[in-house]
Amino acid sequence: MAATDRLRTALDRAEPPPRAVDWSLFAFVVAEALTGLVSFTVGVPEGWPLFWLHRALGAGIVALLAWKLARVRRRLTDPTLWRRSTALSVLTLVAAVGAVGTGVAWVFGLDVRLSYWTLLSVHVGFGLALVPLVAAHAATRFRLPRRVDFERRRTAVTYFALLAAGGATYRIQQGVNDALDTAGADRRFTGSQPREGAGNGAFPITSWVADDPDPIDRDDYRLTVAGLVGDPVELTADELAAGHETEALLDCTSGWYTVQEWGGVRVGDLLEAAGEIDDDAAYVRFTSVTGYRWSLPIEEAADALLATHVGGERLSHGHGAPARLVAPDRRGFQWVKWVTRVEVHAEYDLGQWVVTLVSGFD
């Protein structure tokens, strides 16, 4: 038997039952979307297993998709077998190939922009679109999974091998990047690529969703510090430039990171200026002129910075002037720009997740 025939036989024997492949593909896509979204909130190296799992699931989707296509290729290539649902199948395939292809291109360092979007943003878009498409595709031929589809020992071994192969593929990809010195070799564990230099011009101007306010007049600007404090205060832009400096890494979810020297005022000093803090205080909320907001635990917030300068330069409007939050170990979307209110609260702000999706829309 030829080597190719032996390989084909081995792959055929490893293939799970058709119903298991269909449901596993749906489960892998949902898990891939969830790990991708949660990874947006992870900025410390200890969170690397989540990113490893995301990439391993991606490799698993490739294998499941290959088994699926091998089974249905005649229904896709023979026009006489097309049905109304065939268009949905093709659209789902395009989204899957788009998500996998852009993900692979990104980890090898391809850094292109499609209009406003980075390649990583396009990858995220394909991934989010894939979830409802796979669900709709599954609904066209809905069949509940059976225990017999998953209880075979060979099937369990296959799924273990899929995840192991995904992890191995990730390590091999890292080795190839290093050996060939590709642009992906200096990516951070989050997948973000470096932006070198100091000051406003060293890193891109990006905004979350639709946030795009007009420039704020420094003379009219006021920062309010309120909430569970004894003596709420209002501060001008000049009063925020207190001269405290800290080096911090900004890791943007659009796929880049930069290390900068930030200057401004410690949030802890702002809170002290607002008098005695209530015993129930647990979170500090930072609100933008756009309505965008994010909260930090009060202990973490005290060590954060409300920055007015970066790299020795006054912040530009696009980077959040007159003042933006600098929150080390947090991802970029949590570094609120154009901050106008700092409020102390007793409870976690669940509404901030909703606001991230709607702020900036008129």
Side-chain angles (χ1 to χ4, degrees):
M1 181 183 295
T4 55
D5 292 335
R6 289 196 296 269
L7 178 60
R8 186 178 296 109
T9 299
L11 291 175
D12 289 342
R13 294 190 58 182
E15 180 180 357
R19 199 173 301 192
V21 170
D22 292 344
W23 279 96
S24 297
L25 192 56
F26 176 70
F28 271 51
V29 167
V30 171
E32 186 79 327
L34 288 175
T35 55
L37 290 174
V38 173
S39 73
F40 275 8
T41 68
V42 177
V44 294
E46 291 78 11
W48 70 264
L50 180 66
F51 295 88
W52 175 90
L53 178 60
H54 182 73
R55 291 154 185 160
L57 287 169
I61 288 174
V62 171
L64 290 167
L65 197 60
W67 281 322
K68 175 77 172 180
L69 289 174
R71 192 174 80 242
V72 303
R73 61 183 181 275
R74 283 196 64 242
R75 294 207 296 267
L76 292 177
T77 57
D78 187 347
T80 64
L81 300 178
W82 287 359
R83 298 185 298 178
R84 187 179 302 175
S85 61
T86 301
L88 178 60
S89 300
V90 172
L91 190 60
T92 305
L93 177 61
V94 169
V97 172
V100 172
T102 53
V104 171
W106 181 260
V107 299
F108 279 106
L110 184 62
D111 186 11
V112 297
R113 296 188 74 91
L114 302 177
S115 184
Y116 176 78
W117 307 102
T118 65
L119 192 62
L120 183 61
S121 299
V122 175
H123 169 69
V124 172
F126 273 124
L128 292 177
L130 187 57
V131 175
L133 285 172
V134 169
H137 173 73
T140 63
R141 46 180 59 81
F142 182 77
R143 295 180 301 168
L144 285 172
R146 303 169 301 181
R147 179 181 298 180
V148 68
D149 293 323
F150 294 94
E151 67 182 3
R152 295 188 310 173
R153 179 175 177 273
R154 183 185 302 167
T155 301
V157 171
T158 296
Y159 285 110
F160 176 80
L162 282 179
L163 290 177
T169 300
Y170 174 46
R171 296 300 298 175
I172 293 171
Q173 168 263 312
Q174 287 182 312
V176 171
N177 270 336
D178 292 338
L180 300 180
D181 194 25
T182 70
D186 55 0
R187 291 178 309 115
R188 200 165 179 248
F189 73 97
T190 59
S192 295
Q193 299 171 344
R195 296 294 182 266
E196 306 290 350
N200 290 288
F203 56 105
I205 292 175
T206 59
S207 293
W208 187 258
V209 189
D211 277 359
D212 186 22
D214 293 330
I216 299 172
D217 189 312
R218 285 180 55 83
D219 293 333
D220 295 336
Y221 173 82
R222 296 294 184 273
L223 173 77
T224 301
V225 184
L228 300 178
V229 297
D231 187 18
V233 296
E234 280 193 352
L235 302 171
T236 66
D238 289 336
E239 289 173 324
L240 293 180
H244 188 85
E245 293 187 348
T246 186
E247 185 179 85
L249 184 151
L250 169 59
D251 190 332
C252 181
T253 52
S254 62
W256 53 266
Y257 75 92
T258 185
V259 179
Q260 296 290 331
E261 191 75 24
W262 306 87
V265 59
R266 287 183 65 254
V267 175
D269 294 339
L270 289 176
L271 299 181
E272 288 181 10
E276 185 176 354
I277 298 176
D278 193 286
D279 291 340
D280 293 332
Y283 294 93
V284 179
R285 179 189 299 168
F286 302 87
T287 304
S288 169
V289 69
T290 67
Y292 189 96
R293 66 180 192 256
W294 198 263
S295 298
L296 299 177
I298 194 166
E299 298 83 3
E300 180 184 355
D303 290 330
L305 188 75
L306 209 59
T308 59
H309 290 70
V310 60
E313 304 171 357
R314 181 179 289 175
L315 279 176
S316 69
H317 167 66
H319 286 314
R324 75 173 298 165
L325 176 65
V326 170
D329 296 334
R330 295 278 182 162
R331 299 299 294 276
F333 79 96
Q334 296 164 317
W335 291 36
V336 182
K337 295 181 179 180
W338 311 295
V339 177
T340 58
R341 293 187 64 84
V342 175
E343 299 173 300
V344 180
H345 292 273
E347 297 180 351
Y348 180 76
D349 182 14
L350 285 173
Q352 66 190 10
W353 293 97
V354 178
V355 172
T356 60
L357 302 177
V358 300
S359 68
F361 290 103
D362 295 327

